[in-house]
Amino acid sequence: MPLKYAINPDICLKLTKDKCGTCEEVCPANAIDYTQTEEHITINAGSIIYSPGFTPFDPSKFDNYQYANFPNVITSMEFERILSATGPTMGHVTTFPKLPLNPKKKKDKLLAQKRKDPKKIAWFQCVGSRDINKCDNPYCSSVCCMYAVKEAIIAKEHAGGDLDCSIFYMDMRTPGKEFEKYYENAKDKHGINFIRTKVHSVTENPETHDLNIRYVDDFGQIVDDTYDMIVLSVGLEISEETKALSEKLGIDLTSNGFCKTNSFEPVTSSRDGIYISGVFNNPKDIPDSVLDASAAASAAGDALSSARDTLTKSVEKIEEINVVGERPRIGAFICDCGSNIKGVVDCEAVTEYAKTLPYVEFADESMYACSQDAQSKMVDFIKEKNLNRIVIAACTPKTHEPLFQETLANSGLNKYLFEMTNIRNHNSWVHKNNPDIATQKAKDLVRMAVAKAALAEPLKEEKINVNDSVVVVGGGLAGMTSAKSLATQGYSTHIIEKNNQLGGEAHKLYKTAQGEDVQTQLNELIKEVENNDNITVHCNTTLESADGFVGNFKSTLKSDDKEFELEYGIAVLATGAKAFVPDEYEYGNDERIITSLDLDKMFKVNDTKLDTINSAVFIQCVGSRQPDRPYCSRVCCTHSIDNAIELKKRNPKMNVFIIYRDIRTYGESELLYKEARNLGVIFIRYEVDKKPEVTIKGKNLFIKVTDHVLNMPVEIKTDMLTLATAIVPRKDEKLANFFKVPLNDEGFFIEKHAKLGPAEFATSGVFLAGSGHYPKPVNEAITQGRASASRALTLLAKKDSLFTSGIIANVDPLKCSECGVCVSICPYSAPMFATEGRFEGKAEVNPVLCKGCGLCVASCRSGALHLRGFDTNQIFSQIFALGEVV
């Protein structure tokens, strides 16, 4: 969401003295309204979702980095704006980025003359995070490593491959899904330099304004280097205003200002009825924030389930106008998208050009076509000009097409009498250095869109009858949480569990990172699920088949060699993952060499062997972050450190070593890392090409590793070696094929959208939760369980108004040759052979299953298949329009 600004009424000259008013004059969006006054509104609510967000850390308090004094030292947030096409330099990476493009002050003009394209840029990590010396933020902000890697890659794309980008870090924390691959690609394919050190200070050459740094490398050598720019990767903080409001609301906070929650109710605050999400919950990135938001909606919905629909208001439906047979009367709307498009494309010229095209009755230019006032004007123009086809030249249809289609519906037009062309992503962004070419291309794109829109016809959507019962595949923490929320909100839910009890892998865990006893909480959750009248538990049961589509699935279940059928409308896949069985470090050859889950088992039963241990060693990344499993298993570092602390508390004199590659205790888990060091746990880093060596000599167990501080090998005699093994997916291809959902190369399920749809699949009616998606700790598994339930409820709650898309394939049976290619090639099983009637044996398409991909249309040898909205004549009209000379 773009930044929003507010006028301070205490210092504004217009409001205090009725002078100035410049803001209103220069604002291109007409967003300034001096007549607005403060208004107090009382809202009666049954639940509150509290998402106050965060504030970026202000590095000006750090005198060693000189952010406030050196113009080429900037924050990561400022660098994000530099990379943006709408930023101060319009995406061009340059020195002195804080200066205006055309400065007026004499001093700024002199500096602007020294502007140059940087050759070397450095990123400093953990600025305002993991620091109790310069600031009081001991936690990890979770997002900084990944955004620094992203910024470095994009900077090289903008500035060219010769740009030297270096990231100075303590631990590279990339524990998210696909993050480790992104990190490795940054090193191997993009040439980003990663330097493990903490830079002490920055000095400046007063003549050139180049930045000089000094640091100590891995070999203890002092290195001096010079950079054109330095980017400070600032952390995330909770603002004082948020802390004050939280206190008023009676919400308990952690010592760092984040909301204090329970791992088994991760979005529930200490105040009954108030639920939280986002960074206020704990530092997190976009996918986790989206999951938090859905989970909070689920929790709030649970509390309000008895009042569902009591305050619902129905939207007045505009009767659709029949335009069949009418001559096309096209309205073309050209969007400036602020400076995103207009900064490159001559939108006025494109608008005037659109007016000359066949069937175009009206054309208009709008600064932001997606804004509410622009939408209202569009409705008025459609009615006033009697328009029956609409063309929008703006940004991406992926995000904005539904909005414009809704506008058409509000004006009485069928929403498919619409064509959208992308003159931002496909044009202004890629041709930003060639405005003339971009303007010409925009005209071409508009001409093509108009040609296709002239042939558009109203399309019909089929109503879907929804069976409002739900199947949850997997009875672990995520699956039970999802089922419990759905059942609480009144929906019949079935849990399919292949084992003889609920709980999954959680039965093997001792405690959470926050110290909660997992078995106590797990047993309570199992009891709640088994006693819920809306939940039917099927243990020792497997799913043998799945047919149907959203709202109408049918499966065959098998239990104790007996099969039975179950019909349902929604499916949640929560199949979990499992621990990797090590094939190195002498595992299996000595009972003292165990896994993390084995150690948890010892803690659970209070094994007396623990009292005989005087030395314990943990080895991290066993089976993770290697070619066959190129991902971080996310939970291992925190788990090992938590267990190391437990050993130290049992026996403070015990020697405990953790041999690691990067410590990835993200968020407030960093406090455990700090506690472990304070208790005397020794951390030794190893490189992947110099793994620790384990040897058994008689009755003695030795681990040999190269100490990263001493830069020489050390040998540790130990009584117990714990291997922090990878978490591996179950790779259930059979289940994936049943529901037409994809798996990635490692075998984890692939979500609909990595950031915006992390709890759902592209297949309608099928949702996702738990470690089958990616490894995650208890609180995150439960969050995704709630999130999947919340997303499922968006379909269940509107079961009476669920429709298919109008853009689907249809068959001309008179041309069908019954070859069956379409039936075999469709990934969604939409085409099938008719089994009765006049056209028995011919292909027909199930409109509910069809996704409108067009694969069957392209493969049909008889020309019998057509894709509504993208028929052959429409496609060719665009091709012919492209060939016209302007």
Side-chain angles (χ1 to χ4, degrees):
M1 182 178 179
L3 292 172
K4 303 293 184 182
Y5 296 92
I7 294 174
N8 187 332
D10 297 327
I11 61 175
C12 174
L13 292 176
K14 179 68 176 178
L15 295 178
T16 57
K17 299 181 180 180
D18 197 24
K19 296 181 179 179
C20 190
T22 303
C23 295
E24 185 177 27
E25 294 174 6
V26 301
C27 179
N30 298 319
I32 306 298
D33 182 0
Y34 292 115
T35 64
Q36 287 185 349
T37 57
E38 188 178 88
E39 185 179 0
H40 293 268
I41 301 174
T42 300
I43 299 175
N44 295 318
S47 293
I48 296 174
I49 296 178
Y50 187 39
S51 300
F54 67 93
T55 184
F57 177 78
D58 179 8
S60 59
K61 62 186 72 172
F62 282 8
D63 56 359
N64 56 330
Y65 291 153
Q66 295 292 321
Y67 165 75
N69 300 317
F70 296 166
N72 287 320
V73 178
I74 62 175
T75 68
S76 48
M77 297 291 282
E78 290 168 336
F79 196 74
E80 288 280 342
R81 295 299 304 142
I82 292 169
L83 293 175
S84 173
T86 61
T89 61
M90 300 180 67
H92 180 68
V93 181
T94 180
T95 56
F96 302 100
K98 300 177 188 177
L99 295 179
L101 281 177
N102 299 301
K104 296 180 179 179
K105 294 181 180 179
K106 184 177 180 180
K107 180 182 177 182
D108 291 345
K109 285 183 178 180
L110 292 174
L111 287 177
Q113 292 174 3
K114 299 180 180 180
R115 267 197 172 121
K116 62 181 180 180
D117 292 347
K119 297 298 182 185
K120 294 178 71 177
I121 303 178
W123 278 258
F124 290 178
Q125 299 307 105
C126 300
V127 178
S129 298
R130 303 181 67 188
D131 190 344
I132 57 174
N133 295 317
K134 291 285 185 178
C135 67
D136 193 24
N137 293 342
Y139 55 87
C140 167
S141 289
S142 300
V143 301
C144 317
C145 285
M146 273 303 295
Y147 74 56
V149 176
K150 178 204 70 174
E151 287 178 357
I153 290 175
I154 296 176
K156 285 181 77 75
E157 291 173 349
H158 282 217
D162 293 337
L163 179 64
D164 186 312
C165 294
S166 298
I167 297 177
F168 293 81
Y169 70 102
M170 294 191 290
D171 293 286
M172 186 47 57
R173 295 187 167 174
T174 53
K177 190 173 185 180
E178 303 293 335
F179 287 7
E180 185 72 11
K181 292 180 185 177
Y182 195 76
Y183 166 44
E184 291 297 328
N185 283 340
K187 289 190 292 185
D188 300 336
K189 294 184 179 180
H190 297 280
I192 309 297
N193 305 311
F194 290 86
I195 304 170
R196 193 190 294 268
T197 191
K198 184 78 171 176
V199 178
H200 177 268
S201 57
V202 179
T203 58
E204 183 190 56
N205 183 319
E207 295 297 323
T208 64
H209 296 280
D210 291 341
L211 302 166
N212 305 311
I213 68 171
R214 173 173 286 193
Y215 62 91
V216 178
D217 66 13
D218 272 347
F219 301 102
Q221 302 297 314
I222 295 177
V223 180
D224 292 297
D225 208 345
T226 301
Y227 287 86
D228 299 306
M229 291 175 65
I230 291 175
V231 181
L232 305 180
S233 295
V234 293
L236 317 181
E237 290 185 317
I238 300 302
S239 68
E240 293 302 319
E241 292 82 0
T242 295
K243 293 176 185 177
L245 179 56
S246 301
E247 185 177 351
K248 288 181 181 178
L249 293 172
I251 296 175
D252 293 340
L253 304 179
T254 68
S255 59
N256 300 302
F258 301 101
C259 185
K260 187 179 290 185
T261 60
N262 180 290
S263 295
F264 285 80
E265 288 293 346
V267 294
T268 301
S269 75
S270 58
R271 175 77 181 273
D272 190 32
I274 299 182
Y275 307 96
I276 50 97
S277 66
V279 173
F280 179 59
N281 191 348
N282 207 18
K284 59 191 61 182
D285 58 9
I286 292 173
D288 287 337
S289 295
V290 171
L291 287 172
D292 255 17
S294 293
S298 159
D302 288 357
L304 301 177
S305 58
S306 61
R308 181 185 296 278
D309 294 330
T310 57
L311 297 175
T312 302
K313 296 180 180 179
S314 299
V315 178
E316 182 182 356
K317 189 173 181 180
I318 307 297
E319 186 176 352
E320 186 174 304
I321 301 169
N322 184 2
V323 300
V324 176
E326 290 186 6
R327 176 185 180 276
R329 296 175 58 83
I330 299 174
F333 295 87
I334 315 301
C335 179
D336 297 343
C337 199
S339 60
N340 258 307
I341 297 173
K342 193 176 179 66
V344 178
V345 175
D346 186 345
C347 293
E348 185 178 350
V350 175
T351 305
E352 291 303 313
Y353 173 72
K355 293 177 181 178
T356 67
L357 295 173
Y359 302 114
V360 173
E361 299 291 330
F362 177 78
D364 184 57
E365 180 185 354
S366 174
M367 176 165 290
Y368 291 101
C370 59
S371 64
Q372 188 172 348
D373 60 331
Q375 298 285 295
S376 300
K377 287 181 181 178
M378 198 177 295
V379 171
D380 294 339
F381 285 138
I382 290 171
K383 293 179 178 178
E384 178 187 338
K385 307 293 183 182
N386 193 28
L387 304 176
N388 57 21
R389 307 284 192 285
I390 300 298
V391 168
I392 306 288
C395 56
T396 172
K398 187 172 184 178
T399 55
H400 284 70
E401 185 176 71
L403 173 67
F404 292 117
Q405 287 183 325
E406 184 180 347
T407 303
L408 262 69
N410 290 337
S411 65
L413 291 180
N414 183 281
K415 72 179 188 179
Y416 295 100
L417 297 172
F418 163 79
E419 184 64 24
M420 187 171 181
T421 187
N422 190 342
I423 61 172
R424 186 189 69 178
N425 305 45
H426 295 171
N427 189 28
S428 65
W429 280 2
V430 292
H431 302 299
K432 61 180 181 291
N433 297 323
N434 298 283
D436 293 339
I437 293 175
T439 300
Q440 181 58 53
K441 184 175 178 180
K443 292 178 180 179
D444 293 341
L445 290 170
V446 169
R447 185 172 68 253
M448 293 166 67
V450 167
K452 182 170 181 282
L455 298 173
E457 297 178 354
L459 302 182
K460 183 182 178 183
E461 297 179 335
E462 299 291 335
K463 190 175 187 301
I464 301 174
N465 296 316
V466 177
N467 180 332
D468 62 3
S469 60
V470 182
V471 157
V472 178
V473 183
L477 283 175
M480 286 192 293
T481 301
S482 182
K484 179 186 170 186
S485 179
L486 290 162
T488 300
Q489 300 200 42
Y491 296 98
S492 174
T493 306
H494 298 260
I495 298 179
I496 314 301
E497 173 54 52
K498 66 180 181 180
N499 295 318
N500 60 3
Q501 64 175 347
L502 297 173
E505 295 293 303
H507 281 291
K508 302 174 183 178
L509 299 176
Y510 173 49
K511 65 176 183 177
T512 68
Q514 292 178 240
E516 299 109 336
D517 183 279
V518 172
Q519 299 313 304
T520 300
Q521 300 275 4
L522 176 63
N523 290 331
E524 288 180 6
L525 179 58
I526 292 173
K527 186 177 180 180
E528 289 178 8
V529 167
E530 291 178 338
N531 291 336
N532 192 308
D533 292 337
N534 284 335
I535 298 177
T536 304
V537 177
H538 305 271
C539 286
N540 294 313
T541 303
T542 56
L543 194 77
E544 297 299 313
S545 69
D547 298 307
F549 46 86
V550 55
N552 296 272
F553 290 108
K554 179 186 289 187
S555 285
T556 299
L557 306 183
K558 187 176 182 180
S559 180
D560 297 328
D561 295 324
K562 295 180 181 179
E563 292 188 350
F564 59 98
E565 288 190 343
L566 185 63
E567 295 183 355
Y568 52 98
I570 299 292
V572 178
L573 306 188
T575 53
K578 58 186 178 181
F580 171 67
V581 178
D583 53 6
E584 57 186 333
Y585 299 123
E586 298 290 345
Y587 180 76
N589 296 328
D590 192 303
E591 64 178 10
R592 292 169 295 181
I593 303 175
I594 61 176
T595 67
S596 297
L597 291 180
D598 293 331
L599 182 55
D600 271 31
K601 183 178 180 180
M602 295 174 73
F603 285 139
K604 281 166 54 183
V605 299
N606 198 20
D607 196 318
T608 55
K609 292 180 182 178
L610 294 170
D611 299 327
T612 65
I613 297 172
N614 294 311
S615 174
V617 175
F618 295 79
I619 298 179
Q620 301 303 110
C621 298
V622 179
S624 293
R625 302 179 66 190
Q626 59 188 43
D628 55 338
R629 278 178 293 280
Y631 59 88
C632 168
S633 290
R634 195 168 175 89
V635 301
C636 318
C637 286
T638 302
H639 194 185
S640 291
I641 290 174
D642 200 22
N643 282 348
I645 291 171
E646 183 71 18
L647 289 173
K648 270 291 191 180
K649 287 181 176 178
R650 284 171 174 260
N651 180 6
K653 294 182 179 180
M654 185 187 302
N655 294 319
V656 180
F657 301 85
I658 294 182
I659 304 175
Y660 71 99
R661 289 178 60 190
D662 290 281
I663 292 296
R664 293 181 168 177
T665 45
Y666 57 92
E668 289 196 293
S669 296
E670 178 71 12
L671 304 183
L672 290 175
Y673 184 25
K674 178 174 178 286
E675 182 184 356
R677 297 198 306 273
N678 289 340
L679 289 173
V681 177
I682 299 172
F683 291 82
I684 302 175
R685 192 179 74 246
Y686 75 93
E687 299 298 331
V688 68
D689 56 347
K690 293 183 180 179
K691 286 187 174 184
E693 298 176 10
V694 178
T695 56
I696 304 168
K697 298 178 183 178
K699 295 183 179 180
N700 296 322
L701 181 60
F702 294 94
I703 291 89
K704 185 178 180 181
V705 63
T706 299
D707 186 281
H708 66 287
V709 177
L710 302 175
N711 198 28
M712 60 185 297
V714 296
E715 191 171 64
I716 304 168
K717 180 182 176 182
T718 186
D719 301 316
M720 181 177 69
L721 171 60
T722 303
L723 304 179
T725 59
I727 294 178
V728 296
R730 301 190 184 278
K731 293 186 179 180
D732 197 336
E733 295 183 0
K734 180 180 174 183
L735 184 67
N737 289 331
F738 283 163
F739 290 102
K740 306 296 187 297
V741 296
L743 300 171
N744 69 8
D745 292 341
E746 289 76 51
F748 293 106
F749 287 117
I750 299 177
E751 62 277 30
K752 179 179 180 179
H753 190 286
K755 295 186 182 299
L756 305 180
E760 53 197 303
F761 289 104
T763 301
S764 298
V766 187
F767 300 88
L768 171 65
S771 294
H773 164 251
Y774 192 70
K776 45 183 61 72
V778 167
N779 60 326
E780 293 177 13
I782 288 175
T783 295
Q784 195 174 22
R786 273 201 173 280
S788 65
S790 180
R791 298 306 302 154
L793 285 162
T794 61
L795 291 180
L796 293 169
K798 60 178 183 181
K799 64 177 184 177
D800 295 328
S801 57
L802 198 60
F803 294 87
T804 66
S805 169
I807 300 175
I808 57 174
N810 69 301
V811 182
D812 181 349
L814 297 177
K815 292 183 178 180
C816 178
S817 62
E818 304 179 28
C819 68
V821 172
C822 60
V823 176
S824 63
I825 203 170
C826 179
Y828 306 103
S829 302
M832 59 192 74
F833 292 115
T835 56
E836 57 185 21
R838 177 185 171 191
F839 297 110
E840 181 180 351
K842 302 287 186 178
E844 61 181 11
V845 175
N846 185 329
V848 181
L849 289 178
C850 183
K851 300 297 179 186
C853 69
L855 190 59
C856 60
V857 178
S859 65
C860 182
R861 303 162 185 174
S862 306
L865 277 156
H866 301 271
L867 184 60
R868 295 172 183 169
F870 289 87
D871 213 345
T872 306
N873 61 338
Q874 292 176 291
I875 300 299
F876 276 112
S877 72
Q878 290 187 286
I879 296 172
F880 296 148
L882 182 61
E884 294 176 8
V885 179
V886 180

